[in-house]
């Protein structure tokens, strides 16, 4: 066993993090072959909906007038308000600074035009390579929606898959808004109706199979509202138990549930208008118990759900907690959530995903998370050493690879589905 006792544990973890390659298991990024769908550059960074919400705390412009502006005009407003008129200390603002800095730009100059010029001369290919290298990623998982006309047009043409951009099948409209999705499914040639008769279920299965064949997804996924429950019989309950979960079982795919988003609490804010609510982890437990042959990847948006999610995962090996999602992707909560998971689950979870919507964001989202992980994990290793254990560099690297991709890959693999049955 290679010991490295003189070097501080924080440095050893930092060194190991620089050497491993991370799998980012949930993003909203798209492969470069999907053209304009892959967002990148300074204006996209500035109009990120996390920043839009913060800028409206200061801006007096009416919502509709702001959203009618061009992208670069919106970006200028946000830059002025959040970076020039006030110090950019929020997590999302600091993220822009970290990103620019790591790309070799100097944000201290406060010169937006200069930054825009730098981006204008950049090629997408070199940008993908550099952002992935700076973030330390081997691949990202996209969010692929068979209900998005822009996206489906690419897949229908037959897309060459890129090994750095893996796929996941997003099915929110099917589970959460089936009534309004029927017309779309019919238009696409699936003979479906409101009542989930055997014939309709077969058609829905055919729809999911066609898309799984096209995409080859790692998992199916949905974001759930706080009131989502698996305790009372509802139509969603039936869609889940009679269509989605049997489909996942047949294909050996995990089902990812992102729990606790209340959509459009302020619809005028568009994408920035969603909020958070407490979810029912009892429902997650009910699903894990009633469907032991399904595997569930689960993240929760509410801070108050984090402890019970860890406890639920102690009870069900077909439950895999992942990531510090969206409003929990801030240093205070990353530290807290990772620590809770270490103390209750050891290293049997996936510590983070970026949720990046703009390619450049993988740089800051992963750099900031690594800063947090160095703190939380070094505390755990130090406590362990004080109790009489010794940890090698190889073991540090193994543990990091586990929580930053390998556990997820194993959970998704067919062997894992055999184990849970
Ligand atoms: O984090 C986000 O950007 C959110 O808007 C959502 O996309 C969320 O992550 C989701 O996948 O539903
Ligand atoms: Zn997301």
């Amino acid at each position: 066993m290679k010991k490295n006792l003189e070097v501080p544990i924080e440095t050893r973890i930092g060194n190991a993090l620089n050497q491993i390659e991370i799998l980012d298991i949930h993003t909203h990024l798209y492969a470069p072959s999907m053209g304009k769908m892959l967002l990148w550059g300074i204006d996209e960074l500035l109009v990120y909906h996390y920043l839009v919400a913060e800028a409206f705390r200061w801006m007096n412009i009416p919502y509709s007038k702001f959203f009618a502006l061009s992208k670069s005009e919106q970006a200028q407003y946000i830059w002025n308000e959040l970076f020039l008129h006030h110090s950019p200390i929020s997590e999302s603002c600091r993220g822009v600074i970290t990103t620019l800095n790591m790309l070799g730009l100097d944000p201290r100059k406060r010169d937006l035009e200069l930054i825009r010029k730098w981006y204008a001369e950049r090629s997408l290919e070199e940008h993908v390579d550099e952002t992935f290298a700076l973030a330390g990623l081997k691949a990202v998982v996209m969010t692929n929606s068979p209900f998005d006309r822009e996206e489906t047009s690419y897949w229908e043409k037959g897309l060459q898959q890129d090994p750095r951009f893996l796929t996941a099948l997003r099915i929110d409209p099917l589970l959460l808004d089936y009534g309004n999705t029927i017309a779309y499914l019919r238009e696409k040639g699936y003979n479906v109706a409101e009542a989930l008769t055997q014939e309709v279920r077969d058609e829905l299965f055919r729809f999911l199979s066609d898309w799984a064949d096209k995409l080859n997804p790692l998992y199916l996924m949905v974001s759930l509202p706080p009131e989502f429950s698996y305790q009372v019989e509802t139509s969603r309950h039936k869609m889940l138990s009679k269509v989605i979960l049997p489909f996942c079982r047949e294909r050996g795919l995990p089902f990812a549930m992102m729990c606790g988003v209340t959509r459009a609490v302020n619809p005028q804010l568009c994408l920035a208008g969603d909020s958070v609510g407490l979810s029912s982890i009892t429902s997650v437990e009910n699903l894990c118990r009633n469907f032991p042959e399904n595997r569930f990847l689960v993240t929760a948006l509410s801070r108050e759900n984090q402890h019970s999610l860890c406890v639920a995962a102690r009870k069900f090996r077909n439950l895999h907690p992942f990531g510090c999602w969206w409003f929990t992707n801030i240093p205070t909560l990353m530290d807290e959530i990772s620590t809770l998971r270490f103390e209750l689950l050891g290293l049997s979870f996936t510590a983070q995903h970026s949720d990046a919507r703009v390619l450049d964001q993988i740089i800051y989202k992963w750099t900031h998370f690594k800063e947090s992980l160095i703190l939380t994990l070094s505390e755990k290793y130090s406590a362990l050493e004080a109790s009489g254990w010794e940890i090698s560099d190889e073991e540090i690297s193994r543990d990091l690879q586990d929580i930053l991709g390998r556990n997820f890959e194993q959970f998704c693999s067919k062997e894992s589905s055999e184990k849970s049955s």
Side-chain angles (χ1 to χ4, degrees), residues 214-246:
K214 267 198 215 26
L215 296 175
N216 192 22
L218 284 164
Y219 56 86
L220 259 71
M221 70 182 308
V222 70
S223 284
L224 295 168
E227 68 276 10
F228 174 83
S229 146
Y230 197 80
Q231 292 164 61
V232 281
E233 280 280 342
T234 60
S235 53
R236 285 176 182 175
H237 191 294
K238 200 163 177 197
M239 181 63 83
L240 195 57
S241 58
K242 301 273 189 262
V243 179
I244 295 168
L245 294 178

Side-chain angles (χ1 to χ4, degrees), residues 194-211:
E194 187 85 42
L196 292 182
T197 59
Q198 187 57 51
E199 292 71 34
V200 170
R201 274 153 38 193
D202 289 347
E203 281 297 274
L204 291 171
F205 238 77
R206 187 166 69 83
F207 168 74
L208 292 172
S209 296
D210 288 348
W211 278 99

Side-chain angles (χ1 to χ4, degrees), residues 26 28 49-50 170 223 258 263 325-326 355 357:
H26 168 59
H28 297 265
H49 70 90
Y50 291 26
R170 180 86 176 224
S223 284
M258 305 178 72
R263 296 288 179 201
W325 178 29
W326 197 349
D355 235 308
R357 282 179 181 265

Side-chain angles (χ1 to χ4, degrees), residues 56-70:
F56 267 110
R57 311 260 326 129
W58 301 105
M59 298 191 298
N60 287 322
I61 183 171
Y63 295 112
S64 55
K65 220 167 149 191
F66 175 82
F67 287 114
L69 296 173
S70 71

Side-chain angles (χ1 to χ4, degrees), residues 1 6 53 114 122 129 139 152 179 197 225 228-229 292 320-321 336 338 355 375:
M1 180 158 87
E6 297 79 46
L114 202 67
R122 197 136 171 99
D129 290 346
T152 52
T197 59
F228 174 83
S229 146
H320 187 87
E336 183 176 298
S338 298
D355 235 308
L375 288 178

Side-chain angles (χ1 to χ4, degrees), residues 381-389:
Y381 285 149
S382 301
L384 200 53
E385 298 210 325
S387 300
W389 189 256

